[in-house]
Amino acid sequence: MAEQTSPPTAHHVGRAQLLVCAGTGCVSGRSLKVREALLEEIDKRGLKDEVKIVATGCQGFCAQGPIMIFQPDGIFYQKLKPEDVPLLVEEHLIKGRPVEKFMYVPSAGEPPIPKLSDIDFFNKQRLIVLRNRGLIDPEKIDEYIGREGYQALAKVLASMTPEEVIDEMTRSGLRGRGGAGFPTGVKWGFTRKAPGDDKCIICNADEGDPGAFMDRSIIESDPFSVLEGMAIGAYAIGASHGYVYIREEYPLAMERLHIAIDQAREYGLLGEDIFGCGLNFDISVFRGAGAFVCGEETSLISSLEGRMPEPRVRPPFPAQSGVWNMPTNINNVETWANVPVIMRRGAEWFSSIGTDTSKGTKVFSVVGNVNNTGLVEVPMGTTLREIVFGIGGGIPNGRKFKAVQTGGPSGGCIPASLLDLTIDYERLGEVGSIMGSGGLIVMDERTCMVDVARYFLEFLVDESCGKCTPCREGVAQMHGILERICAGQGRDDDIEMLIELAEYVKDSSLCALGGTAPNPVLSTLKYFRDEYTAHIADGKCPAGVCKALIQYSISADACKGCTKCARVCPVGAITGAKKQPHTLDRSKCIKCGACYESCSFDAVLVE
Amino acid sequence: MPKIRPEDLEAIAMRMRRQAKLRDGTARARVTVHMGTCGIAAGARKIMTALMSAMEEQGVDDVTLTTSGCAGLCSREPMMTVEIQGEAPVKYVNLDENKTRVIFTEHVLGGNIVADYALGVGSERVA
Ligand SMILES: Cc1cc2nc3c(=O)[nH]c(=O)nc-3n(C[C@H](O)[C@H](O)[C@H](O)COP(=O)(O)O)c2cc1C
């Protein structure tokens, strides 16, 4: 019967869906090529009506990209290449046999883990902000609605007064995820109460911390959650317009945001008379001016108005006088993305997650010397150990863990002895670091902490806007001292000087860029002071990083004569016959460390 | 796209639900069509298409369709296995589109095994 074989219609879902990650990380690993290859292969095999390929936002496990999840079986495939596609389609889609060789292997020698839900990286996380990651096509509003999207806004508009919304937000205990951790409901209340006919809200998507990509991923994988959060905020605060201030360097996020805004407008979820409930609110996207300081709220506002992105003195706070002197409420992307869930499930539910003072979850971008780099969402109060070793899978190459740096360039370094620290705003502050926006850099034993401090201060010197003297000059002076120490020209009073300068800069800078800039120095001095002294007094870099203070040599006992080091040396400083111990000529050596990294027998020594 | 009202959300969500179930991997029943070379040659693809259209027409959102390789009984292809959660799998043989539809309605949706088309209840023991 012809009717029975009629092909399924446009809304059909088929029997299988391949969720290919199209987050920036996987895309740079050519996931879009993998997707094309899949489409082609599926067409060729006549499976087009049965199998749907969905490009999702970032799934978080960036270390293993490009990744794909095969549903309904829940199989997690990783490190896919376009050339792998024919085999994968033949085996899994046609013959129904999941392909081991593309599965995740926790560590060498262990069996592969087929199911996403069994992989530690995923099953130790708790997803609230990233609830839809990898599960929806971020370019289709219906998919968001299919996962309870816009129910919070409907509920708010139908049954709550603006004051009730603000009260609910305050009771939830949500604190700003952009860095300072200010209670969101309280901030909304300030802006609502501020005198002014019209008000404005802003989503801060500038995300300037090096290595951080939480906000980018949220927008890429679930842009509607941010839009819905903002619409709820607009209702509560009494704002008719919103801006998303987004980094120029995020083209994919920007594109998805535009698509999402267009679709929301078509459904009447942005614009006039939203949901037929009388709310008028629209959003425009503003491309950032490209400096780190643009993320600071007063600079951001200045940049939005078309002026130089320079901070100004507060008060007045933006809640009193922001964009074009309108009362303005500014929140971070992740803060906004929390809002719909809180309104749908209630303040009690949200505040039951986390610690006394810090509620809900936090998204971290875990990078550095860790096996599973990626995007991780955990409840507040999770230990550093759980993040680095449980979810992060520990340190690669059998090396020792040394420290984690949290909070972005102006955060601090936390040593191994504090691995059991439970992460929340207060605990991080107590140990001399900050939550910041959620950057988390793992460092192994081959990291020099003086060099780390130097690196972050260099970034801050470059990014200081120059408006106030303490930040412009003070941070530059501190950086100069660190450069000297790393170059082997440290002086006995350098440490005292650094501490003194740090206090001045902290206390007298105009904005938090300068206010927190000394953190990397102070926290490394607190926990790794002996490394500073080794540089200054003994002329040694214990981690073997600072070139001026180290010498390479080859241990004749340990060297097996494999010739690997001689082959990687760019200046021909290493000689020796096969299977004979090699020697290194220090007069030629440029201390690039290539031999050290390449040796499999720990025979290259650094001192 | 017309503007929507709060009461429209549910309709959209319903439409999307099957998809969500598929992605969550939470289904009440699972139907496996055996698609080895033999199965495909015998017309397994038509069986798959018939199942997909039946699911769509009836708005079924809690059944998973999958394929697997040859079930080892090539002479009785096309074959499929119906597994209702918590019950023993049932293999059906010598299928055509009509039989498939009957099985879908009676067994997958109704819970009654269609003995006439079934090979047997239960599965070989594996390992
Ligand atoms: C130098 C500097 C850079 C900042 N960069 C960002 C940023 O990229 N994204 C962000 O959300 N907040 C950033 N902030 C914090 C903002 O000033 C502001 O506190 C935040 O956007 C408020 O949102 P929240 O309450 O939701 O955290 C930065 C602050 C400073 C001092």
PDB file of all heavy atoms in Angstrom, chain A residues 469-476 478 500-511 513-518:
ATOM      1  N   THR A 469      46.285  56.265  37.947  1.00  0.00           N
ATOM      2  CA  THR A 469      47.719  56.056  38.112  1.00  0.00           C
ATOM      3  C   THR A 469      48.088  54.768  38.870  1.00  0.00           C
ATOM      4  O   THR A 469      49.000  54.063  38.444  1.00  0.00           O
ATOM      5  CB  THR A 469      48.358  57.279  38.810  1.00  0.00           C
ATOM      6  OG1 THR A 469      47.780  58.446  38.237  1.00  0.00           O
ATOM      7  CG2 THR A 469      49.853  57.296  38.631  1.00  0.00           C
ATOM      8  N   PRO A 470      47.403  54.462  39.962  1.00  0.00           N
ATOM      9  CA  PRO A 470      47.833  53.271  40.714  1.00  0.00           C
ATOM     10  C   PRO A 470      47.856  52.016  39.842  1.00  0.00           C
ATOM     11  O   PRO A 470      48.803  51.233  39.896  1.00  0.00           O
ATOM     12  CB  PRO A 470      46.773  53.145  41.807  1.00  0.00           C
ATOM     13  CG  PRO A 470      46.152  54.484  41.929  1.00  0.00           C
ATOM     14  CD  PRO A 470      46.264  55.133  40.593  1.00  0.00           C
ATOM     15  N   CYS A 471      46.837  51.853  39.025  1.00  0.00           N
ATOM     16  CA  CYS A 471      46.761  50.659  38.190  1.00  0.00           C
ATOM     17  C   CYS A 471      47.770  50.756  37.047  1.00  0.00           C
ATOM     18  O   CYS A 471      48.546  49.839  36.807  1.00  0.00           O
ATOM     19  CB  CYS A 471      45.334  50.500  37.681  1.00  0.00           C
ATOM     20  SG  CYS A 471      45.079  49.180  36.507  1.00  0.00           S
ATOM     21  N   ARG A 472      47.792  51.899  36.370  1.00  0.00           N
ATOM     22  CA  ARG A 472      48.677  52.052  35.214  1.00  0.00           C
ATOM     23  C   ARG A 472      50.140  51.916  35.614  1.00  0.00           C
ATOM     24  O   ARG A 472      50.888  51.144  35.026  1.00  0.00           O
ATOM     25  CB  ARG A 472      48.433  53.412  34.554  1.00  0.00           C
ATOM     26  CG  ARG A 472      49.229  53.634  33.278  1.00  0.00           C
ATOM     27  CD  ARG A 472      49.062  55.063  32.766  1.00  0.00           C
ATOM     28  NE  ARG A 472      49.617  56.043  33.690  1.00  0.00           N
ATOM     29  CZ  ARG A 472      48.956  57.098  34.171  1.00  0.00           C
ATOM     30  NH1 ARG A 472      47.707  57.327  33.822  1.00  0.00           N
ATOM     31  NH2 ARG A 472      49.547  57.932  35.008  1.00  0.00           N
ATOM     32  N   GLU A 473      50.557  52.656  36.652  1.00  0.00           N
ATOM     33  CA  GLU A 473      51.974  52.654  37.038  1.00  0.00           C
ATOM     34  C   GLU A 473      52.314  51.530  38.019  1.00  0.00           C
ATOM     35  O   GLU A 473      53.327  50.869  37.899  1.00  0.00           O
ATOM     36  CB  GLU A 473      52.354  54.006  37.660  1.00  0.00           C
ATOM     37  CG  GLU A 473      52.175  55.188  36.716  1.00  0.00           C
ATOM     38  CD  GLU A 473      53.035  55.075  35.470  1.00  0.00           C
ATOM     39  OE1 GLU A 473      54.128  54.462  35.551  1.00  0.00           O
ATOM     40  OE2 GLU A 473      52.607  55.566  34.404  1.00  0.00           O
ATOM     41  N   GLY A 474      51.414  51.351  38.994  1.00  0.00           N
ATOM     42  CA  GLY A 474      51.695  50.377  40.049  1.00  0.00           C
ATOM     43  C   GLY A 474      51.833  48.962  39.510  1.00  0.00           C
ATOM     44  O   GLY A 474      52.779  48.240  39.837  1.00  0.00           O
ATOM     45  N   VAL A 475      50.892  48.550  38.683  1.00  0.00           N
ATOM     46  CA  VAL A 475      50.942  47.183  38.164  1.00  0.00           C
ATOM     47  C   VAL A 475      52.170  47.030  37.268  1.00  0.00           C
ATOM     48  O   VAL A 475      52.852  46.000  37.279  1.00  0.00           O
ATOM     49  CB  VAL A 475      49.636  46.818  37.423  1.00  0.00           C
ATOM     50  CG1 VAL A 475      49.690  45.389  36.917  1.00  0.00           C
ATOM     51  CG2 VAL A 475      48.430  46.994  38.335  1.00  0.00           C
ATOM     52  N   ALA A 476      52.490  48.085  36.522  1.00  0.00           N
ATOM     53  CA  ALA A 476      53.667  48.019  35.644  1.00  0.00           C
ATOM     54  C   ALA A 476      54.948  47.868  36.471  1.00  0.00           C
ATOM     55  O   ALA A 476      55.849  47.101  36.111  1.00  0.00           O
ATOM     56  CB  ALA A 476      53.745  49.275  34.769  1.00  0.00           C
ATOM     57  N   MET A 478      55.202  46.511  39.452  1.00  0.00           N
ATOM     58  CA  MET A 478      55.208  45.141  39.997  1.00  0.00           C
ATOM     59  C   MET A 478      55.649  44.158  38.927  1.00  0.00           C
ATOM     60  O   MET A 478      56.452  43.250  39.167  1.00  0.00           O
ATOM     61  CB  MET A 478      53.807  44.757  40.504  1.00  0.00           C
ATOM     62  CG  MET A 478      53.377  45.541  41.730  1.00  0.00           C
ATOM     63  SD  MET A 478      51.708  45.119  42.264  1.00  0.00           S
ATOM     64  CE  MET A 478      51.978  43.494  42.967  1.00  0.00           C
ATOM     65  N   GLU A 500      54.400  45.850  49.320  1.00  0.00           N
ATOM     66  CA  GLU A 500      54.031  47.237  49.570  1.00  0.00           C
ATOM     67  C   GLU A 500      53.251  47.823  48.389  1.00  0.00           C
ATOM     68  O   GLU A 500      52.185  48.430  48.550  1.00  0.00           O
ATOM     69  CB  GLU A 500      55.304  48.039  49.825  1.00  0.00           C
ATOM     70  CG  GLU A 500      55.042  49.350  50.545  1.00  0.00           C
ATOM     71  CD  GLU A 500      56.335  50.129  50.741  1.00  0.00           C
ATOM     72  OE1 GLU A 500      57.401  49.496  50.958  1.00  0.00           O
ATOM     73  OE2 GLU A 500      56.286  51.365  50.640  1.00  0.00           O
ATOM     74  N   LEU A 501      53.800  47.587  47.203  1.00  0.00           N
ATOM     75  CA  LEU A 501      53.112  48.075  46.002  1.00  0.00           C
ATOM     76  C   LEU A 501      51.712  47.476  45.893  1.00  0.00           C
ATOM     77  O   LEU A 501      50.743  48.156  45.540  1.00  0.00           O
ATOM     78  CB  LEU A 501      53.912  47.707  44.749  1.00  0.00           C
ATOM     79  CG  LEU A 501      55.076  48.623  44.374  1.00  0.00           C
ATOM     80  CD1 LEU A 501      55.914  47.974  43.280  1.00  0.00           C
ATOM     81  CD2 LEU A 501      54.543  49.972  43.882  1.00  0.00           C
ATOM     82  N   ALA A 502      51.631  46.180  46.194  1.00  0.00           N
ATOM     83  CA  ALA A 502      50.348  45.477  46.085  1.00  0.00           C
ATOM     84  C   ALA A 502      49.293  46.178  46.929  1.00  0.00           C
ATOM     85  O   ALA A 502      48.154  46.378  46.484  1.00  0.00           O
ATOM     86  CB  ALA A 502      50.502  44.021  46.513  1.00  0.00           C
ATOM     87  N   GLU A 503      49.656  46.565  48.136  1.00  0.00           N
ATOM     88  CA  GLU A 503      48.683  47.217  49.011  1.00  0.00           C
ATOM     89  C   GLU A 503      48.208  48.544  48.415  1.00  0.00           C
ATOM     90  O   GLU A 503      47.021  48.847  48.402  1.00  0.00           O
ATOM     91  CB  GLU A 503      49.282  47.459  50.405  1.00  0.00           C
ATOM     92  CG  GLU A 503      49.619  46.168  51.160  1.00  0.00           C
ATOM     93  CD  GLU A 503      48.422  45.204  51.262  1.00  0.00           C
ATOM     94  OE1 GLU A 503      47.279  45.680  51.416  1.00  0.00           O
ATOM     95  OE2 GLU A 503      48.639  43.978  51.156  1.00  0.00           O
ATOM     96  N   TYR A 504      49.170  49.335  47.903  1.00  0.00           N
ATOM     97  CA  TYR A 504      48.794  50.621  47.291  1.00  0.00           C
ATOM     98  C   TYR A 504      47.835  50.418  46.128  1.00  0.00           C
ATOM     99  O   TYR A 504      46.801  51.073  46.022  1.00  0.00           O
ATOM    100  CB  TYR A 504      50.033  51.357  46.766  1.00  0.00           C
ATOM    101  CG  TYR A 504      50.851  52.028  47.838  1.00  0.00           C
ATOM    102  CD1 TYR A 504      52.226  51.804  47.924  1.00  0.00           C
ATOM    103  CD2 TYR A 504      50.253  52.901  48.757  1.00  0.00           C
ATOM    104  CE1 TYR A 504      52.995  52.413  48.900  1.00  0.00           C
ATOM    105  CE2 TYR A 504      51.021  53.508  49.740  1.00  0.00           C
ATOM    106  CZ  TYR A 504      52.380  53.272  49.814  1.00  0.00           C
ATOM    107  OH  TYR A 504      53.130  53.860  50.781  1.00  0.00           O
ATOM    108  N   VAL A 505      48.226  49.515  45.234  1.00  0.00           N
ATOM    109  CA  VAL A 505      47.434  49.319  44.021  1.00  0.00           C
ATOM    110  C   VAL A 505      46.023  48.851  44.380  1.00  0.00           C
ATOM    111  O   VAL A 505      45.020  49.335  43.840  1.00  0.00           O
ATOM    112  CB  VAL A 505      48.126  48.307  43.082  1.00  0.00           C
ATOM    113  CG1 VAL A 505      47.219  47.962  41.905  1.00  0.00           C
ATOM    114  CG2 VAL A 505      49.451  48.863  42.582  1.00  0.00           C
ATOM    115  N   LYS A 506      45.945  47.922  45.321  1.00  0.00           N
ATOM    116  CA  LYS A 506      44.656  47.380  45.738  1.00  0.00           C
ATOM    117  C   LYS A 506      43.740  48.473  46.269  1.00  0.00           C
ATOM    118  O   LYS A 506      42.570  48.552  45.926  1.00  0.00           O
ATOM    119  CB  LYS A 506      44.878  46.382  46.883  1.00  0.00           C
ATOM    120  CG  LYS A 506      44.697  44.938  46.480  1.00  0.00           C
ATOM    121  CD  LYS A 506      45.178  44.050  47.597  1.00  0.00           C
ATOM    122  CE  LYS A 506      44.039  43.410  48.347  1.00  0.00           C
ATOM    123  NZ  LYS A 506      44.541  42.275  49.170  1.00  0.00           N
ATOM    124  N   ASP A 507      44.324  49.311  47.141  1.00  0.00           N
ATOM    125  CA  ASP A 507      43.487  50.278  47.841  1.00  0.00           C
ATOM    126  C   ASP A 507      43.108  51.480  47.003  1.00  0.00           C
ATOM    127  O   ASP A 507      42.084  52.110  47.249  1.00  0.00           O
ATOM    128  CB  ASP A 507      44.200  50.765  49.110  1.00  0.00           C
ATOM    129  CG  ASP A 507      44.331  49.644  50.116  1.00  0.00           C
ATOM    130  OD1 ASP A 507      43.600  48.645  49.943  1.00  0.00           O
ATOM    131  OD2 ASP A 507      45.161  49.749  51.036  1.00  0.00           O
ATOM    132  N   SER A 508      43.942  51.864  46.045  1.00  0.00           N
ATOM    133  CA  SER A 508      43.686  53.160  45.430  1.00  0.00           C
ATOM    134  C   SER A 508      43.304  53.110  43.953  1.00  0.00           C
ATOM    135  O   SER A 508      43.144  54.148  43.330  1.00  0.00           O
ATOM    136  CB  SER A 508      44.915  54.061  45.625  1.00  0.00           C
ATOM    137  OG  SER A 508      46.075  53.382  45.223  1.00  0.00           O
ATOM    138  N   SER A 509      43.130  51.909  43.383  1.00  0.00           N
ATOM    139  CA  SER A 509      42.743  51.872  41.970  1.00  0.00           C
ATOM    140  C   SER A 509      41.279  52.248  41.805  1.00  0.00           C
ATOM    141  O   SER A 509      40.465  52.050  42.707  1.00  0.00           O
ATOM    142  CB  SER A 509      42.976  50.477  41.386  1.00  0.00           C
ATOM    143  OG  SER A 509      44.349  50.235  41.282  1.00  0.00           O
ATOM    144  N   LEU A 510      40.963  52.734  40.629  1.00  0.00           N
ATOM    145  CA  LEU A 510      39.617  53.199  40.335  1.00  0.00           C
ATOM    146  C   LEU A 510      38.628  52.040  40.222  1.00  0.00           C
ATOM    147  O   LEU A 510      37.514  52.101  40.722  1.00  0.00           O
ATOM    148  CB  LEU A 510      39.661  53.991  39.021  1.00  0.00           C
ATOM    149  CG  LEU A 510      38.388  54.635  38.506  1.00  0.00           C
ATOM    150  CD1 LEU A 510      37.832  55.610  39.529  1.00  0.00           C
ATOM    151  CD2 LEU A 510      38.684  55.365  37.202  1.00  0.00           C
ATOM    152  N   CYS A 511      39.013  50.987  39.526  1.00  0.00           N
ATOM    153  CA  CYS A 511      38.077  49.872  39.377  1.00  0.00           C
ATOM    154  C   CYS A 511      38.743  48.583  39.829  1.00  0.00           C
ATOM    155  O   CYS A 511      39.904  48.547  40.202  1.00  0.00           O
ATOM    156  CB  CYS A 511      37.569  49.753  37.940  1.00  0.00           C
ATOM    157  SG  CYS A 511      38.677  48.884  36.814  1.00  0.00           S
ATOM    158  N   LEU A 513      39.825  46.165  38.249  1.00  0.00           N
ATOM    159  CA  LEU A 513      40.960  45.631  37.483  1.00  0.00           C
ATOM    160  C   LEU A 513      42.226  45.852  38.296  1.00  0.00           C
ATOM    161  O   LEU A 513      42.977  44.916  38.587  1.00  0.00           O
ATOM    162  CB  LEU A 513      41.061  46.297  36.108  1.00  0.00           C
ATOM    163  CG  LEU A 513      41.948  45.587  35.061  1.00  0.00           C
ATOM    164  CD1 LEU A 513      41.601  46.040  33.668  1.00  0.00           C
ATOM    165  CD2 LEU A 513      43.435  45.768  35.292  1.00  0.00           C
ATOM    166  N   GLY A 514      42.446  47.098  38.705  1.00  0.00           N
ATOM    167  CA  GLY A 514      43.589  47.390  39.558  1.00  0.00           C
ATOM    168  C   GLY A 514      43.390  46.820  40.959  1.00  0.00           C
ATOM    169  O   GLY A 514      44.319  46.299  41.567  1.00  0.00           O
ATOM    170  N   GLY A 515      42.153  46.881  41.428  1.00  0.00           N
ATOM    171  CA  GLY A 515      41.857  46.426  42.786  1.00  0.00           C
ATOM    172  C   GLY A 515      42.214  44.982  43.032  1.00  0.00           C
ATOM    173  O   GLY A 515      42.523  44.581  44.158  1.00  0.00           O
ATOM    174  N   THR A 516      42.163  44.183  41.991  1.00  0.00           N
ATOM    175  CA  THR A 516      42.465  42.765  42.166  1.00  0.00           C
ATOM    176  C   THR A 516      43.762  42.356  41.473  1.00  0.00           C
ATOM    177  O   THR A 516      44.196  41.204  41.597  1.00  0.00           O
ATOM    178  CB  THR A 516      41.322  41.885  41.606  1.00  0.00           C
ATOM    179  OG1 THR A 516      41.079  42.281  40.247  1.00  0.00           O
ATOM    180  CG2 THR A 516      40.038  42.046  42.405  1.00  0.00           C
ATOM    181  N   ALA A 517      44.380  43.269  40.748  1.00  0.00           N
ATOM    182  CA  ALA A 517      45.574  42.921  39.966  1.00  0.00           C
ATOM    183  C   ALA A 517      46.702  42.311  40.802  1.00  0.00           C
ATOM    184  O   ALA A 517      47.416  41.429  40.325  1.00  0.00           O
ATOM    185  CB  ALA A 517      46.080  44.150  39.204  1.00  0.00           C
ATOM    186  N   PRO A 518      46.888  42.753  42.073  1.00  0.00           N
ATOM    187  CA  PRO A 518      47.982  42.145  42.844  1.00  0.00           C
ATOM    188  C   PRO A 518      47.722  40.700  43.278  1.00  0.00           C
ATOM    189  O   PRO A 518      48.655  40.025  43.723  1.00  0.00           O
ATOM    190  CB  PRO A 518      48.093  43.057  44.079  1.00  0.00           C
ATOM    191  CG  PRO A 518      47.450  44.341  43.679  1.00  0.00           C
ATOM    192  CD  PRO A 518      46.348  43.941  42.747  1.00  0.00           C
TER     193      PRO A 518
END
